[in-house]
Amino acid sequence: MATIQVDGRRYAVDDRDNLLQACLTLGFDLPYFCWHPAMGSVGACRQCAVKQYRDADDTQGALVMACMTPAADGTRISIADDQAREFRANVIEWLMVHHPHDCPVCEEGGHCHLQDMTVMTGHHRRRYRFRKRTHRNQYLGPFIAHEMNRCITCYRCVRFYRDYAGGTDLGAFGAGDNIYFGRHREGVLENAFAGNLTEVCPTGVFTDRPHSERYARKWDLQFAPSVCHQCAVGCNTSPGERYGEIRRIENRYHGEVNRFFLCDRGRFGHGYVNRDDRPRRPEWHAAAGETRVLDVDEALERGGEALRRARRVIGIGSPRASLESNHQLCELVGQDNFSTGIAEREQVCLARMRRLNLDAGLPTPTLREVEAHDAVLVLGEDLIASAARLGLAVRQAVLGRREVLAEARDIPAWNAEAVMTLAQDARHPLFIAYPTTTELDAIAERCLHLAPDDIARLGFAVAHAIDATAPAVGGLDERTRATAERIAEALRSARRPLVIAGGSLESPAILEAAGNVARALATRERRGGLTLVRREANSTGVELLDGRPLEWALDALGQGDADAVVVLENDLHRRLPGERVDRALAAAETVIALDHQRTATWERAHLGLPAASFAEADGTLVSLEGRAQRFYPVYEPRYHRPESRIHPGWRWLLALHAGLQRRTLPDVAFDDLTRDCARRHPVLAGIVAAAPGADERVCGLKLARQPHRYSGRTAMRADLDVSEPSPPRDPDTPFTFSMEGYAGFDRPRREVPFAWAPGWNSPQAWNKFTDEVGGHLRGGDPGARLLEPAAGVAGHVDAIPPPFEAGVGEWRVVVLPRLFGGEETSSRAAPIMARAPAPTLRLAPADARRLAAEAGDTLVIETSLVHLTLPLLVDAALPSGLVGIPAGLAAALSSGAPARLSVVPGDGEAQP
Amino acid sequence: MRENLEPLASDGDGFVLDPQDRRAIEQERRHYEQPQAACIEALKIVQRRHGWVPDGAIVAIAETLGIGPASVEGVATFYSLIFRQPVGRHVILICDSSVCFLTGFEPLHAALAGQLGIDFGQTTDDGRFTLLPACCLGACDGAPALMIDDDTYATVAAEDLATLLEAYP
Amino acid sequence: MTATRYRSRLHQAGGERRLETHPLTWWLRDDGERVDLDDYVAKDGYGVVRQVLGHQTPDAVIETLKAANIRGRGGGGFSAGVKWSLTLKGEEVPRGYLVCNADEMEPGTFKDRLLLEQLPHLLLEGMILGGYANAAYYGYIFLRGEYVAAAQALERAIEEARAAGWLGRDIAGSGFDFDIALHTGAGRYICGEETALINSLEGQRANPRAKPPFPGQSGAWGKPTVVNNVETLCNVPAALRFGADWYQGLSGERSDDGGTKLYGVSGQVRRTGLWELPMGTPAGELLDRAGGLRDDRTLKAWLPGGGSTGFLLPEHLDLALDFDTIGKAGSRLGTGLLTLVADDQSLVALVRNLEEFFARESCGWCTPCRDGLPWAVELLRALERGEGQPGDIERLEALAADQGPGKTFCAHAPGAAMPLASAIHFFRDEFARGIAGAREEGG
Ligand SMILES: Cc1cc2nc3c(=O)[nH]c(=O)nc-3n(C[C@H](O)[C@H](O)[C@H](O)COP(=O)(O)O)c2cc1C
Ligand code: SF4
Ligand code: FES
């Protein structure tokens, strides 16, 4: 700690900070551009100038850049000093020399850091009377629009993209006052985190392109705190709605999870919510594709009747639905009839992951904690594809070595360029074992491209090398043994080693191997972490409900043990082979589907009930960290589409339940459901505390979903009705569907729909909500952790698989997750599909030669269940004997399945 | 704005790095701790062969050195002696800095521009000369000065130009 | 035809020069050809390497240099000995680099070129000694790309020195290993700024780096790195050969800064060129040596050491040309090569030209320089055309004030501000005549 003096008053600050951080943490409004809490200082923009005095006798002082000056004990500065203020105003004036006067048509307007800083410094009159220079813009792909004329050359974009996120295709070009930020040539920005440029750029150079097509100002959007549903990491988001559509998703600061950044799938993958073909009213599907739209009463009547008639009703839950909805389904059908809706091979992995979280002795670090680990072993995950934001955190962990080295030379961590210069390529060790290359390979000490069983064997060997009581792996070759020794050595000597594995390759052996490594580390000394990657937003949570696998449900239907089924927000056809699902559904007397998407399963249901998506429902999800987090409805669908009959899954299920029991629908509050769920499942006891109840008030007020400048409210429904209805009521949450309510920053609160503070309209406003810049929300970071390790460490497992051997004329399938196109709901968003690479089939070069196939040839892959044609990609990293298939193509192709391959004849000749 | 997507992998426009140049770049790389350091010399090597640095060379150099194309382009566009547009067979650099300015840069520039029919940044129609301004050439005791290719000339007067240029066909 | 192939030359003939009084130029040949290894060794070149390596500790070398007070000839005037004493050394520190700054692009400066083209071995000797004192394992000569002849001379010299064992492993049996590579630049004045130079050496965009940490703590590739000017390094061998007292004595009563200086004169004078003279030689003496102004013009103003120094007036000609004296007069010694401006030349035009230079050469990293200097250029152009507006001069003054040290990221913009501010200070009327309407009123 240090004491500094700001404008004559003394304050206690953290002496590891620079003065800008210290001042912002103290709540001062000091303008800045090039500094960013996650990226440190470089002193380029000169916007944060303050006057610094040597001592009490120094009345002259000198200007210094706050971001480049340590908050050392005894420092005396003035923010208010005239010369400092004038200089800051001049800096803005220079930045505006070439800036267009296009705020009215600029999409950054209203959440623009440059606007905020311009107002803050008081620059309001243009004195520059000469010509402005102009730039040409580039096409950068479906996510991001480019308007270089607005650039103020703060260098944040390249610093984020290159230094923080590891991208190589965005650069700073030119020199002097002719600097250009873009790609070396027009084209799609390749990095998985490019979307953050829209928030990192302090002005409107990089903007959200899908938002642009249906644009609304930030102050005209309605927000709710939400949790990303596109993978299991659980990033906090701030979806913004206008006219019943989600227009954009912005990062919602969470001090332990995503902090400032989201991945592009999460940011741009929400379009499925707005699809025109979404089911919005109950449907009755008579035979032969005949659809009848029902009103709610009729639908519930038919549903209730069918359920009453049924001998046995099976409930199929979903890892993309909330705990509350899944629980309600379980209540409807009874625990014995409840399936998680997850295929067995995945569920086995999930169960094992739960067990490892509890008994392997190491906790799951939060993403923020991940960044503080100093050796990482990744077994069988391509993190950027399967849990992208976690991958970004691992990158920071590996680069964390820089700061360790810098500290030893008294270079403060915030001195970003100096830290990078000193450390050069120095990194904490990262080891990745995966069947092919991954994006993180570039910063890994060793990458091993292995078949799943061999990845497991490597893991077991590492565990044995750390802890001799762990089972040894027989028949290891010398190279693998040496690698295992090196990995073990790195993990052992780390302060905080991290083991990451997951379900991507659907290999229980890999998980057991990771478990042994974790146990080996935990037995020696309880340090380090174990992160286990799950696939979907609520995979972790639904698994905790102890349902049965999907196969069990289909069998029960197919064999006539049950005659009715309720499917909750789940496209079964993406989980198991279509014929098998169809057979089971066809055998059922009654199929009721609840969903917000028109899926294959929906089409085969007799009764379809339009469920709310994340944007219209409340619910709790459990992330891969074991963190239960609440999301809230962003808008009420009926407000803009009165014909819509969308309700949260849990509400439909409550109603069906009432119908089944011939009761009237009870007046159940959402909080009661959560409580009920927690009561029924002791492991979920924590979810009640995960979020404030509906009765939460700040200053006696509910919390506003809309900024107080929200406009057009009286007219926005004028096409429907000239009189303005009162805003929809929301008894289930502490939020109002209006601007009336608390929207401030000064009272601590956990759930913040959107960040705004006086003078701070841009995402930089989050700094006003945290205890220190880049720290924790003052009201506490949202969510509650559920899965903490038990006291003891369970014994090692010794189910070591034999080495993988390539079959003759037969290949083993590995399904490879992909960031774009591999996940169900985001694949229904147009920009994601535009960004998804065309699917290919991967083979090792030797295998391609054996088949006399060349890159681009069309290959047929055949298993007992599928017959699929795909173009060949020759993958030099892939081990021989494996065939790589992108996730999301065919449910029948699961990792480990044997497959035959053949080349489609004739194609070869077409190739030159 | 175009809607179709470009391929993700950077495409080198079919530019092929001359094997000799590739070797020279790899050789250069050994002088430094990091491959990035050879980037400027690599650009110069390409420029020596082609007169300028074509777009495809950026990608080719990036691949040879194992660094990102954006960082090669960032360097190529920063330095004034790396040409990212085609230049003439001979490049004339006139010193436009203070001492030459005081001793006749302006009339010299006007005469040269007049004779060649081009101004700074342009190339004569016959592709013979490109005219560029240069920072103080360190020949102030011989101002005004200019360089044609690798040759530095001092006390250049307008009437000398015709004879001087003759030597550069 | 007056045009000639340019060749560096010194005005003092061989007979005038002695090692004891002209430690830099004594070695030069009168025919202006390169002093090759044989010439150099014949005059006991590399003798200091033999004398020092393995016989004196690096610390002792640094002590001598500190006492000699060789002030940085690159323009900053920082004591080389002090700089070297701050270089991080020790068991746990990796050995780093010694970098010679041969980027000479300061407008009006042509001194390093002479040493590089004609006396490369003296530089190499200075670098070997510098490498030894700073525990560097490798040296780079960062040479501006346009110095083609210097590049050839240096390449040859490095080869000669390496073949003779002055570079490489175990130099002169001392156990000290050191080698040197030539790195040629690709343009841009900012590469001369020492941290931008390091970035450029690393193949990056030549943006400067924040200090601290100084290059001596974390320089090229994060290793301790010393950057010195050509002339500074060329002063090292003699200072070590004859000692600090001798070095101090070279400038005698004239200056507290020791040694000699390669002074030069250019602009509208009869005899432009270079002289090696004791530090602190008065400007007037140089002007005399240059034969006064051409065509009987009178002197209006002068720059003491390049475009980034402040203008001085004829009344300042008596000042000793050393760092402190010129600094006290409100300018900077800079590189010590005088640019003379005659009475009939427009200062507004000259300052416009200078600011065009600095604006064009800005690296584009920090706002005041990147966006402020081009604005100054526009205002100066307007004044030059007689299209200035009331307030423009004050705007220029404010712009100059905002480019001050500490306000910008590096010393480039403060360098740009110096001639601008000083020109307005001394010649405000001339600027005022550029305000629209002022000419008519005045005349
Ligand atoms: C914009 C700028 C350009 C510079 N150019 C040169 C140069 O060309 N040569 C040089 O030796 N020093 C130059 N310097 C000074 C260097 O930064 C550095 O101080 C010098 O190389 C240190 O060497 P010295 O102490 O031996 O003078 C420049 C400084 C600035 C700010
Ligand atoms: S003052 Fe700033 S913009 Fe100018 S050269 Fe230095 S760092 Fe670059
Ligand atoms: S924020 Fe401090 S210089 Fe940019």
Side-chain angles (χ1 to χ4, degrees), chain A residues 139 162 172 174 185-186 190 834, chain B residues 2 5-6 8 11 71 74 77:
Chain A
Y139 170 77
R162 278 212 275 204
R185 59 190 318 178
E186 208 166 48
E190 292 166 19
Chain B
R2 290 200 333 266
L5 286 187
E6 293 221 336
L8 280 184
D11 128 42
S71 77
T77 53

Side-chain angles (χ1 to χ4, degrees), chain C residues 190 208 362-366 369-370 408-410 412-413:
Chain C
I190 192 62
S362 163
C363 80
W365 180 249
C366 72
C369 173
R370 180 187 63 238
T408 59
F409 190 78
C410 84
H412 175 84

Side-chain angles (χ1 to χ4, degrees), chain B residues 31 33 44 78-79 136 141, chain C residues 97 140 144 188 223 272:
Chain B
H31 288 149
E33 275 191 38
K44 291 210 249 178
F78 186 92
Y79 294 97
C136 177
D141 51 343
Chain C
Y97 300 98
Y140 288 103
R144 69 178 292 190
R188 291 237 165 254
K223 301 207 171 120
T272 57

Side-chain angles (χ1 to χ4, degrees), chain A residues 139 141-142 162 168-176 182-190 209 424-425 834-837, chain B residues 1-13 33-34 55-56 58-59 67-71 73-75 77-78 84:
Chain A
Y139 170 77
R162 278 212 275 204
T168 55
D169 63 330
L170 184 82
F173 309 133
R183 289 191 87 246
H184 65 289
R185 59 190 318 178
E186 208 166 48
V188 178
L189 281 173
E190 292 166 19
R209 206 161 174 241
Q424 296 291 310
D425 285 344
R835 181 72 170 75
Chain B
M1 207 165 287
R2 290 200 333 266
E3 289 303 323
N4 62 319
L5 286 187
E6 293 221 336
L8 280 184
S10 356
D11 128 42
D13 285 339
E33 275 191 38
Q34 296 281 356
D55 292 357
I58 298 291
V59 179
I67 56 181
S71 77
E73 180 72 326
V75 167
T77 53
F78 186 92
R84 284 292 279 110

